[in-house]
Amino acid sequence: MTALAAGTWWMTHRRLSALLRNPAVLVMTLAQPMIWLFLFGQLFKKVVELPGFGAPSYLTYIVPGVVIMNAVSLNSFAGMATMDEIERGTLNRFLVTPVRRSAIANAGVIEQALSTAFQSLVIILLGRLAGAHYPGGLTGITILIAASVLIGVVLAALSNTLALLVRDRNTIIGLNVMLLLPLTFLSSAFMTKDLMPPWIRHASTANPVSWALDTARTTLSDDPDWTSAALHGTALLALTIATVSLAIFSFRTYQKSQ
């Protein structure tokens, strides 16, 4: 086993052990997506009657939106855990050990990915029990979960980078709150693109949340557009690699400032 793999293993084991000691966190953070799923699903269910909406039921349409937005919301505050480790001095102790910086970053990515995948699966199952349909079957569901993990990792990596560079909780909270609504409503999370104002529709094409949604929605349909899915999925994967690399680099910047 290489030094990087060994370091990643032990750092991941440490983070998952802490998570398993407090599993209620994963359950409690499901409250918000449940409100989106069932409250919005009932409140706006007649939206599908609008000409051009193009979905048989609003609940079926909204499940991918809730899954992706939950991933965004869940991971946007990942930097708060990094702030905890900075304030306790834990991170500084790790940075002077032989453990590689990339192993520390990888552990955070794996923890966030597993948490996101678990919550995404719960939302999908609850949506199915409520009457949502997934014509794309297991393949579409798997790609939806993968898309939620990728967009979650993007937000987690950016949040951790901010924590390492700025080291201020209020800045992290303020920036995340400021970005959450634009990321949500400049995407097709809750409304189909065909019914959006033109400027929002154009803006959504540059929104990574829309990339995740476009990848997931087409593969969940009964007639997937695999070219579109591959295009948006590749863009999302490239962004994920770039943001994780930025988070790893930010460890070096943080260490030099100590």
Side-chain angles (χ1 to χ4, degrees):
M1 184 180 290
T2 66
L4 176 59
T8 299
W9 165 260
W10 288 112
M11 294 300 296
T12 302
H13 179 270
R14 169 183 170 270
R15 293 184 72 115
L16 291 179
S17 296
L19 180 62
L20 290 174
R21 285 195 296 269
N22 190 22
V25 173
L26 285 178
V27 177
M28 289 188 295
T29 51
L30 278 168
Q32 186 178 51
M34 290 306 97
I35 291 173
W36 289 339
L37 184 62
F38 296 114
L39 184 59
F40 282 22
Q42 289 297 310
L43 186 61
F44 299 114
K45 65 181 181 180
K46 290 189 177 296
V47 169
V48 295
E49 297 175 7
L50 292 173
F53 189 85
S57 80
Y58 191 66
L59 183 63
T60 297
Y61 180 83
I62 204 178
V63 168
V66 172
V67 168
I68 297 301
M69 289 317 304
N70 179 65
V72 171
S73 178
L74 178 68
N75 291 281
S76 294
F77 293 93
M80 301 301 282
T82 302
M83 286 297 305
D84 288 338
E85 296 206 333
I86 291 173
E87 292 169 358
R88 290 198 302 263
T90 308
L91 183 59
N92 289 346
R93 290 196 291 271
F94 282 130
L95 289 175
V96 297
T97 67
V99 176
R100 296 188 181 183
R101 289 182 290 268
S102 51
I104 300 173
N106 289 344
V109 168
I110 294 170
E111 180 201 9
Q112 295 300 130
L114 291 175
S115 299
T116 302
F118 169 76
Q119 289 202 346
S120 297
L121 182 59
V122 170
I123 295 168
I124 291 167
L125 291 175
L126 289 175
R128 182 67 187 91
L129 290 173
H133 296 283
Y134 313 122
L138 185 59
T139 299
I141 290 172
T142 301
I143 292 175
L144 171 57
I145 293 174
S148 72
V149 168
L150 289 178
I151 192 64
V153 170
V154 167
L155 271 297
L158 291 175
S159 184
N160 284 326
T161 298
L162 191 63
L164 289 164
L165 297 181
V166 179
R167 297 169 227 172
D168 180 71
R169 291 179 184 273
N170 291 331
T171 300
I172 297 172
I173 294 171
L175 187 60
N176 286 332
V177 170
M178 181 180 71
L179 288 177
L180 185 58
L181 285 180
L183 286 173
T184 301
F185 294 107
L186 292 178
S187 76
S188 59
F190 300 114
M191 181 56 63
T192 182
K193 289 182 179 180
D194 291 340
L195 297 180
M196 290 179 180
W199 72 271
I200 294 181
R201 186 167 59 250
H202 294 315
S204 71
T205 61
N207 185 350
V209 172
S210 282
W211 303 348
L213 285 164
D214 290 343
T215 302
R217 281 216 172 95
T218 187
T219 55
L220 278 171
S221 69
D222 52 8
D223 184 23
D225 182 347
W226 293 108
T227 301
S228 175
L231 180 64
H232 290 105
T234 300
L236 186 59
L237 179 60
L239 181 61
T240 303
I241 294 171
T243 53
V244 171
S245 299
L246 179 63
I248 293 172
F249 179 78
S250 67
F251 278 102
R252 183 178 292 111
T253 303
Y254 171 82
Q255 193 170 20
K256 288 180 178 179
S257 68
Q258 299 305 298

